[in-house]
Amino acid sequence: MKTAKKFNRQLILEGNMLHAILSLAIPVVINSFLQTMYNLTDTYWLGKIGTEQLAAINLVTPVQNIIINFGSGITVAGSVLIAQYIGAKLKEDAKAMANQIFACAMLFALVCAAICFLATPGIVNWMGADGDTYRHANTYLRMVIWDMPFLYMVNIFSAVHQAQGDTVRPMFLNLGGISLNMVLDPLLMVVFDLGVAGAALATVFAKAVPAMVAFTLLCNPKNDVSLNWRYMKFQAEKIKLILKIGLPTAIGGSTMQLGFVLMSKNVYVYGTQAMAAYGIGNKVNGLITLPSNGIGSAVATIVGQNIGARQQDRAEKGYRISMWIAVGFLFIGGMILSRDMISTAIVSIFSEDAEVIAMAADFLSIMAFWCFTNGVYNATSGLFQGTGHTEVTMAVDASRLWIFRFLTLWFCGNILQMGVRSVWYSVVVSNGISSVILYVLYRMGIWKKSKIKVRKDQETEMAKETDAEIHERA
């Protein structure tokens, strides 16, 4: 394991850049696909049960994602900081940071899950749900929210290993989880006739098992970065760094998800069929953009380690190659998936309602045609995250939803009278504008100033370790 991580680190810092990008991105894409399959499996079986159950989950999923995305700011900060410490050869700091991340994330997950459980009826009512939709949404959210501690545990495992250049083990961990979920979903939802409650329970159980495995592996003292109780005592310097890097990501992500909640309210105005179509389209689009998301994660690791090693030109080279790979892949894939025959065939998997299929296919066709802009967005976001400039991604994320998307939604709905299609176009227009803004900010060179300062004593330690490695190779 140590040999593999050392090889990955050398590949990121010294090896062929295309090889480095693909070796990191491909497992992340597979891992993201497996995580997406949690929701897609629920969507498939709920679509077989009924439109109202499907609409109920699609309505409240953004609420759950608000909390998940806020907490993920902590793990994103951890991945960035650990990567930079590893690039700078500061192993003790990397280990201490991993433990601080673990303590903060677990505390946050437990507190937020308890608060959300108590507030669920009021939240679902505020979103406008009534009748059976209210009952299903309330049941699902109150149960599924308890997967948060398990989800964060897996995310911490992924962050720690990804920062070291290892994206394969997190992939296999999630493979076990989704395999379990695919068995539990039909068993609990159909065989035991638990409906949305079965979907929630299946998700919680399927995340609990890999979470326990992740915790066991993280506690292994033989690892370079492992959990140890003596490192978990809160350290002011580390907490300050976590907040500095993670808080903008947390605010940006949760603010964006709050925007999705309001988007769901706007879609629900057009009825449960529109809500079901919106959820299907978003989930399938999530699959389309997985390669772009994976490359964005790879960029964050590559940039983080190279910035830590003070190799700015190599960090920029990694970003530029990654961006063009993502744009090219999404452009070709989007042209294929935007064809009406193909988009209709895909969404038909998740619903048997003719009107839902028609609306979802229309939504998917529009998003797929313009999805290449996500390549610019994800790769450039990875660049800013890798250098610790998460305040940039926070501002753009918030603007994408709260300014560009709602402004486009209002214009298309009220001025152009486009009906539910105003929602579809608001998504692609806001994504395109945000991608252009991020690229312009990259060209301005904001990313070049790293957020992590290395002290003099740390510089001396880096020099010693570098000399030792040179001697070892000789």
Side-chain angles (χ1 to χ4, degrees):
M1 183 173 176
K2 286 185 177 180
T3 302
K5 288 179 178 177
K6 185 176 181 180
F7 172 77
N8 289 334
R9 187 159 60 245
Q10 289 176 343
L11 181 63
I12 291 169
L13 297 177
E14 303 168 11
N16 179 276
M17 184 56 72
L18 181 60
H19 185 189
I21 293 167
L22 294 179
S23 66
L24 288 173
I26 291 174
V28 171
V29 170
I30 297 172
N31 188 26
S32 299
F33 171 77
L34 295 174
Q35 290 183 331
T36 303
M37 286 301 293
Y38 279 111
N39 284 333
L40 281 176
T41 305
D42 291 346
T43 300
Y44 174 81
W45 288 106
L46 287 167
K48 300 299 181 184
I49 295 173
T51 300
E52 285 189 338
Q53 288 89 335
L54 183 57
I57 286 188
N58 290 335
L59 183 67
V60 298
T61 294
V63 177
Q64 181 189 12
N65 288 342
I66 290 176
I67 304 171
I68 291 174
N69 274 262
F70 193 92
S72 70
I74 300 173
T75 53
V76 166
S79 182
V80 170
L81 292 166
I82 294 169
Q84 291 202 17
Y85 282 133
I86 288 172
K89 298 179 172 55
L90 303 172
K91 293 180 181 178
E92 283 298 306
D93 281 292
K95 182 181 288 189
M97 181 57 70
N99 282 270
Q100 295 295 299
I101 293 293
F102 172 80
C104 292
M106 288 299 102
L107 179 62
F108 177 85
L110 291 170
V111 171
C112 284
I115 292 173
C116 187
F117 176 83
L118 297 173
T120 291
I123 293 171
V124 175
N125 185 62
W126 171 77
M127 294 189 70
D130 54 12
D132 287 339
T133 303
Y134 171 87
R135 181 169 57 84
H136 294 316
N138 189 62
T139 298
Y140 180 80
L141 186 58
R142 294 195 92 172
M143 297 177 70
V144 81
I145 200 66
W146 291 108
D147 79 337
M148 283 185 59
F150 307 126
L151 175 64
Y152 283 9
M153 177 61 70
V154 174
N155 287 348
I156 291 167
F157 179 86
S158 299
V160 168
H161 283 260
Q162 184 175 316
Q164 298 174 83
D166 175 18
T167 54
V168 175
R169 285 171 182 80
M171 177 190 73
F172 281 116
L173 189 68
N174 278 289
L175 177 60
I178 182 57
S179 299
L180 182 58
N181 191 57
M182 292 179 73
V183 173
L184 290 175
D185 258 344
L187 180 66
L188 297 178
M189 295 168 64
V190 180
V191 177
F192 289 101
D193 196 26
L194 295 178
V196 294
L201 286 172
T203 300
V204 173
F205 290 148
K207 289 180 180 176
V209 173
M212 289 185 285
V213 174
F215 180 72
T216 302
L217 294 174
L218 284 171
C219 289
N220 186 349
K222 294 181 180 179
N223 295 334
D224 288 337
V225 180
S226 60
L227 296 181
N228 190 310
W229 294 111
R230 69 188 182 90
Y231 286 101
M232 288 185 196
K233 183 179 179 182
F234 287 110
Q235 302 176 23
E237 182 183 351
K238 294 290 189 293
I239 298 298
K240 184 178 178 181
L241 267 178
I242 293 170
L243 292 176
K244 185 177 182 180
I245 305 299
L247 196 58
T249 300
I251 294 173
S254 57
T255 301
M256 184 173 66
Q257 291 300 327
L258 179 58
F260 285 139
V261 171
L262 297 180
M263 283 291 292
S264 294
K265 285 193 68 174
N266 279 280
V267 176
Y268 194 65
V269 169
Y270 296 100
T272 55
Q273 291 172 315
M275 190 68 241
Y278 178 67
I280 292 172
N282 271 332
K283 288 180 173 65
V284 176
N285 183 62
L287 283 177
I288 298 171
T289 56
L290 282 181
S292 178
N293 294 334
I295 287 175
S297 296
V299 170
T301 300
I302 290 169
V303 169
Q305 288 203 21
N306 279 283
I307 289 295
R310 300 183 179 182
Q311 298 181 159
Q312 192 177 90
D313 290 344
R314 184 171 173 82
E316 185 173 13
K317 178 184 177 182
Y319 155 71
R320 293 180 69 86
I321 294 174
S322 300
M323 184 187 71
W324 287 115
I325 292 173
V327 170
F329 184 89
L330 290 181
F331 181 80
I332 295 171
M335 291 303 104
I336 296 171
L337 293 171
S338 63
R339 302 304 92 190
D340 184 64
M341 180 178 68
I342 296 176
S343 60
T344 301
I346 292 172
V347 300
S348 297
I349 297 172
F350 302 100
S351 179
E352 297 175 355
D353 188 312
E355 190 169 349
V356 170
I357 292 172
M359 286 191 288
D362 185 42
F363 183 26
L364 179 58
S365 294
I366 294 169
M367 286 196 297
F369 186 84
W370 294 102
C371 71
F372 68 90
T373 62
N374 287 56
V376 179
Y377 187 89
N378 291 128
T380 313
S381 292
L383 172 70
F384 283 110
Q385 287 178 351
T387 54
H389 288 280
T390 50
E391 77 283 353
V392 173
T393 55
M394 176 194 74
V396 176
D397 274 345
S399 300
R400 180 169 62 143
L401 262 294
W402 291 95
I403 299 177
F404 309 130
R405 187 159 300 181
F406 284 117
L407 186 60
T408 306
L409 181 64
W410 175 85
F411 182 80
C412 292
N414 293 278
I415 305 300
L416 300 182
Q417 299 294 317
M418 294 174 62
V420 74
R421 294 193 94 202
S422 60
V423 178
W424 310 163
Y425 279 100
S426 71
V427 174
V428 298
V429 170
S430 60
N431 288 348
I433 293 173
S434 299
S435 300
V436 171
I437 291 173
L438 271 177
Y439 187 75
V440 169
L441 292 174
Y442 151 70
R443 297 292 297 179
M444 290 172 63
I446 297 172
W447 63 277
K448 293 182 179 179
K449 185 177 180 182
S450 177
K451 288 294 192 74
I452 297 180
K453 304 297 182 183
V454 179
R455 302 189 304 271
K456 291 295 182 183
D457 59 324
Q458 292 176 324
E459 289 178 343
T460 302
E461 186 66 25
M462 288 167 58
K464 287 180 181 178
E465 292 190 9
T466 302
D467 291 341
E469 288 187 355
I470 292 172
H471 178 71
E472 182 185 339
R473 285 197 293 269

